Amino acid sequence: MSIEATSTPLTHLFEPFAFAKGVELRNRIVMAPMTTWSGNRDGTVSHQELAYYRRRSKGAGMIITGCTHVTENGIGFQNEFAAHSDCFIPSLRHLAESAKSGGGKAILQIFHAGNKAVPELIADGDLVSASQVKASPGPFNSGERAPRALSGRDIADMIEAFGLATRRAIEAGFDGIELHGAHGFLIQNFLSPRYNRRQDSWGGSLENRMRFPLALVEEVNRVIDRHANQPFLVGYRLSPEESDPGGLRMEETLALADRLADSRVDYLHVSLSNLLEDQPGHASDGVLTVEQFIERVNGRIPVMAAGGLRTPEQASRALDLGLLLIAVGKGLVMNADWVSLAEQGRQDRIRTEMPRDELRRIGIPDNLRKVIAAKNGWFPIKDDGVSA
C-alpha cells in the first residue's frame, strides 16, 4: 500500500553505512544515476558535466554516475560519455575525481543499450541484442529496426567488454561499478522472455536467461580480484517488470534478485517510478514492489531503491520500509545542496519544482537543460503552463 505522509525524524538518513567489504559511507543518501546528455563529441566527459558532479558531491554518501557504454555499439543516448577503450581512462579519472571531491564514494555505472541503442550513433548501424526482436518505440530509438542477435562468440566478447570497462574504472579511481541491468537495455534483454527468444544455453528457461547477467557478475569480480588493490564495489540495478505483452514479470526478477544476493554483488539497486507507491502489475495484496525485493533478499546484501524521492521526508519513509540506502535523483538535480539542507533541518528550502529561469544558475549542463525543458515533471503549473 502507499505510505501516507507523516512527520518522520530524519536522523537515520545521516547514519553512516558500511558494506561487507569495508567500504564506508558517511550517510545513507546516494545520488541516483542519471544521464546528462552532456559528454563531448569524442566520448570524453565534458567540463560542464564535471562541474555538475562536483557541485552535487558535497553531501551524498555515494555518487553513481550516469551510464557509460562498454562497446562502441552500446551507446544509448546522445552525447553519452564512453568507457569502451583505454583512451577514455584519463576522462574517466576526471569524472571520478569530481564525483569524489565532496568526500563521498564514486560508482561508475556501466552498460550496453542493447536493442534500445541509438542506431544513428552506431558504427555501421550494428544494432545488437539477445535476439532479433525490436525494442518498443522510445524517445531515442523508434523501434523500427530489428537488432542482430549476438552469436555465442559475441556474447563472450561482450562479457569481456564489461570486464575491461571495470578495469578502466579501477584505474580511473572509482570505488566501484554498477551493472545497469534495468530499463530494457542489453542485460535486461537477456533476462526478458519477450526479448530473449534464443534456443541455446543463453535463452529459453529462466535459468538460461539469467545466465548472462550472472556471467557479468562473475567476470567483473574476476577483474576486480586481479586489478583492484583496495575494496571495490559491485552493484546491480534492475527494473521489476516490463509493460510489454509477454515481457519480464515480477517473479522472474525476484528470482534473479535471489541469485544476485548469493553471488558476489555488494548491493541491489531497484529502479522504480514511485518507490512509496509502486505495486507489481498483477498484485492484489497491497504489498509494495520494493517490499517484495527487501523480503526476497532477506538481509543477504543491502537493497537500495530509487523512484520519486524528492524530499528528505519521503527518503526517510523509504528507509523505514527496510531499505539500507536510498537513491535521490531529481531532488539532487534541482537542489545541489539537498543533503546539507536536509541535515540542517531546512527542508522548506528544498525545491520539488524547478522554474525554467533557474536551470542555468544551479549548474545544469546545457544539453541537460534542453532535455529538462522538453519534459513534464520539473516545472510549476504556472511556469509556461507545463504541469508538474
Side-chain angles (χ1 to χ4, degrees):
M1 55 189 152
S2 64
I3 308 300
E4 298 297 328
T6 59
S7 177
T8 307
L10 307 179
T11 53
H12 55 329
L13 284 173
F14 305 102
E15 294 173 353
F17 177 80
F19 290 96
K21 283 180 177 176
V23 176
E24 297 184 358
L25 308 185
R26 60 189 171 194
N27 57 46
R28 306 300 178 103
I29 302 163
V30 177
M31 181 174 173
M34 295 170 285
T35 300
T36 68
W37 293 272
S38 300
N40 294 319
R41 289 188 176 183
D42 64 358
T44 57
V45 182
S46 69
H47 291 298
Q48 285 192 351
E49 193 162 17
L50 294 174
Y52 166 85
Y53 279 104
R54 190 176 298 112
R55 189 165 182 175
R56 285 157 180 80
S57 69
K58 297 177 182 179
M62 190 163 78
I63 309 290
I64 307 176
T65 72
C67 54
T68 181
H69 45 292
V70 302
T71 66
E72 286 189 85
N73 64 357
I75 186 167
F77 303 92
Q78 294 277 351
N79 300 106
E80 180 181 294
F81 70 91
H84 59 75
S85 167
D86 283 2
C87 73
F88 294 111
I89 292 175
S91 168
L92 295 172
R93 185 173 295 120
H94 291 316
L95 178 57
E97 290 168 352
S98 293
K100 295 169 70 170
S101 63
K105 303 300 182 183
I107 305 296
L108 183 69
Q109 188 186 71
I110 60 176
F111 92 136
H112 186 291
N115 65 6
K116 294 178 72 173
V118 184
E120 295 76 19
L121 301 180
I122 298 172
D124 302 320
D126 188 26
L127 188 69
V128 301
S129 183
S131 297
Q132 195 174 349
V133 181
K134 298 177 182 178
S136 295
F140 313 110
N141 182 326
S142 66
E144 295 177 357
R145 184 185 302 181
R148 174 177 65 84
L150 292 168
S151 69
R153 178 67 259 174
D154 292 332
I155 292 172
D157 291 342
M158 187 67 70
I159 293 169
E160 182 182 21
F162 274 86
L164 291 171
T166 300
R167 173 181 58 77
R168 294 174 193 124
I170 294 168
E171 294 182 13
F174 283 93
D175 300 294
I177 58 98
E178 181 174 278
L179 293 168
H180 192 352
H183 302 173
F185 296 127
L186 182 67
I187 301 176
Q188 188 171 315
N189 289 166
F190 271 89
L191 183 63
S192 169
R194 175 181 175 88
Y195 296 104
N196 185 345
R197 309 283 182 83
R198 303 179 71 94
Q199 301 299 313
D200 60 7
S201 60
W202 298 100
S205 67
L206 176 59
E207 186 68 26
N208 283 356
R209 286 184 277 119
M210 290 193 292
R211 186 180 171 200
F212 182 72
L214 293 173
L216 293 180
V217 171
E218 183 178 348
E219 173 65 8
V220 300
N221 274 294
R222 185 191 67 81
V223 170
I224 291 165
D225 290 343
R226 181 174 180 181
H227 294 280
N229 56 16
Q230 60 187 19
F232 191 86
L233 299 174
V234 176
Y236 191 103
R237 195 178 208 207
L238 51 73
S239 299
E241 297 182 293
E242 294 171 339
S243 59
D244 308 306
L248 186 66
R249 294 295 177 258
M250 182 72 174
E251 191 54 45
E252 296 171 308
T253 311
L254 286 170
L256 176 63
D258 203 13
R259 293 290 297 275
L260 291 171
D262 287 333
S263 71
R264 296 178 65 189
V265 167
D266 297 295
Y267 69 86
L268 187 70
H269 184 180
V270 184
S271 180
L272 300 163
S273 295
N274 189 320
L275 190 162
L276 296 173
E277 296 184 1
D278 286 358
Q279 299 179 36
H282 304 289
S284 59
D285 56 7
V287 178
L288 297 175
T289 298
V290 69
E291 291 177 308
Q292 294 200 27
F293 282 98
I294 293 168
E295 180 180 1
R296 182 64 67 96
V297 170
N298 194 27
R300 286 173 287 172
I301 57 174
V303 178
M304 170 171 64
L309 301 179
R310 297 201 186 188
T311 70
E313 191 271 338
Q314 290 172 329
S316 181
R317 285 191 282 139
L319 283 182
D320 286 341
L321 294 173
L323 295 170
L324 293 179
L325 299 165
I326 53 95
V328 178
K330 287 182 178 178
L332 272 165
V333 175
M334 292 187 280
N335 306 272
D337 52 354
W338 191 97
V339 179
S340 62
L341 289 173
E343 195 165 18
Q344 295 164 17
R346 300 165 69 192
Q347 297 94 294
D348 59 315
R349 299 286 302 276
I350 292 177
R351 290 187 175 95
T352 57
E353 300 172 336
M354 179 53 59
R356 281 176 167 76
D357 58 5
E358 293 283 328
L359 292 176
R360 188 183 299 274
R361 185 187 66 78
I362 62 173
I364 304 296
D366 292 341
N367 287 344
L368 180 55
R369 280 194 291 110
K370 293 175 184 176
V371 173
I372 290 173
K375 290 189 173 185
N376 291 342
W378 293 85
F379 307 109
I381 293 175
K382 64 183 180 180
D383 184 357
D384 293 342
V386 178
S387 171

